[in-house]
Amino acid sequence: MLNNVKVVLVGTSHSGNIGSAARAMKVMGLTNLVLVDPQCEVDEQTLALAAGAADIAENAIIVKTLNEAVADCSLVVGSSARSRTLEWPMLEPRECGQKFVSEGQSSPVALVFGRERTGLTNEELQTCHYHVCIPANPDYSSLNLAMAVQTLSYEIRMAYLERQHSQYTVEEESVYPRHKELEMFFEHLEKVAIDTQFINREQPGQVMNKLRRLFHRARPESQELNILRGVLSSIEKRISSK
């Protein structure tokens, strides 16, 4: 299951942070590191701070966009401070670990970390099903990138070990759509909403953001998403026949 967990670093600017994050991952048994548009290279400082985890840093997958990094993932969680401007489903770190272990049994899952100084953009945060906030000391909540990776990787490992030691029968896991499939649904939904004049073609953003939040919160399973796509297709046929 741990092999299905991706740790995604977006726009990392300090090469040493990549090495420190790789070390934090390997200590907790995670090996899949993805770098999105890194502003530095994997260099000697990276390998020095990675210590015995240089293999993870050297084998990191590098992509241009976050969508590309999480296209095959059924669960995407972004590390973020609580925001008053962008309301989104939130997880506590322990809940996050439990969700990763549950859903990572059958498909890739991604834990996303933003830039050292500015974090993730609102657009990147809206790519995530949930946000996770580490409840640090409010008087001094400064966590560096590697600390955040270590903390959340620890929670995933603890949830994994708890599941391994459990004597209870594992229930059948739900099958959730991949990120790419969910994005195709949102594109389909927006097209139908525009065609039916439910939203303005020139200003679809606000309504679509709320619909995205609704469906991220609802977490439709793959079969349920197929039903929704079928409803949208039926509406399109009805419109075209008039």
Side-chain angles (χ1 to χ4, degrees):
M1 170 268 140
L2 295 179
N3 290 332
N4 273 338
V5 178
K6 293 184 182 182
V7 173
V8 181
L9 308 184
V10 179
T12 310
S13 58
H14 300 291
S15 62
N17 286 337
I18 296 174
S20 296
R23 182 176 183 178
M25 290 170 58
K26 191 163 187 176
V27 167
M28 296 301 156
L30 305 182
T31 58
N32 293 334
L33 177 61
V34 182
L35 305 177
V36 176
D37 189 27
Q39 303 301 299
C40 59
E41 296 182 354
V42 174
D43 57 18
E44 291 182 0
Q45 187 178 17
T46 305
L47 302 182
L49 290 178
D55 57 320
I56 293 178
E58 290 177 319
N59 292 326
I61 296 172
I62 300 176
V63 297
K64 292 183 178 180
T65 67
L66 180 56
N67 280 334
E68 186 179 352
V70 302
D72 63 341
C73 295
S74 63
L75 175 67
V76 182
V77 178
S79 177
S80 168
R82 292 185 183 274
S83 171
R84 294 182 181 178
T85 59
L86 182 65
E87 296 182 6
W88 212 257
M90 295 291 302
L91 294 175
E92 297 297 330
R94 193 133 302 172
E95 290 179 285
C96 179
Q98 292 165 349
K99 275 197 172 294
F100 267 67
V101 170
S102 175
E103 298 190 28
Q105 300 293 323
S106 57
S107 61
V109 290
L111 186 58
V112 183
F113 298 87
R115 299 155 190 84
E116 290 94 335
R117 293 186 61 189
T118 59
L120 296 166
T121 65
N122 278 354
E123 182 179 356
E124 289 163 347
L125 285 169
Q126 289 177 18
T127 299
C128 305
H129 296 100
Y130 297 94
H131 300 167
V132 58
C133 178
I134 298 172
N137 176 5
D139 295 327
Y140 187 71
S141 58
S142 178
L143 283 171
N144 65 33
L145 179 59
M147 289 177 180
V149 172
Q150 185 76 83
T151 300
L152 296 178
S153 297
Y154 169 82
E155 292 294 350
I156 292 171
R157 183 162 188 81
M158 290 302 98
Y160 168 75
L161 292 176
E162 182 178 357
R163 187 184 183 101
Q164 290 291 94
H165 296 157
S166 173
Q167 297 179 357
Y168 298 104
T169 302
V170 178
E171 297 179 0
E172 183 178 349
E173 300 293 345
S174 299
V175 178
Y176 291 100
R178 303 296 196 268
H179 171 76
K180 179 170 62 176
E181 296 163 343
L182 201 56
E183 285 300 311
M184 290 172 63
F185 165 70
F186 286 134
E187 291 173 6
H188 195 176
L189 178 60
E190 181 174 349
K191 179 179 181 300
V192 172
I194 290 172
D195 291 345
T196 57
Q197 299 182 351
F198 180 74
I199 60 177
N200 188 329
R201 182 183 301 274
E202 304 302 322
Q203 296 179 320
Q206 185 175 1
V207 173
M208 284 306 302
N209 285 344
K210 290 183 179 295
L211 288 172
R212 276 178 173 269
R213 186 173 65 190
L214 185 155
F215 284 105
H216 278 313
R217 185 170 63 244
R219 297 298 313 285
E221 298 174 7
S222 291
Q223 190 175 29
E224 293 168 335
L225 196 71
N226 288 337
I227 292 172
L228 291 171
R229 291 292 302 271
V231 171
L232 294 175
S233 296
S234 179
I235 293 172
E236 288 179 313
K237 289 179 182 178
R238 183 72 173 178
I239 293 172
S240 64
S241 67
K242 289 185 176 180

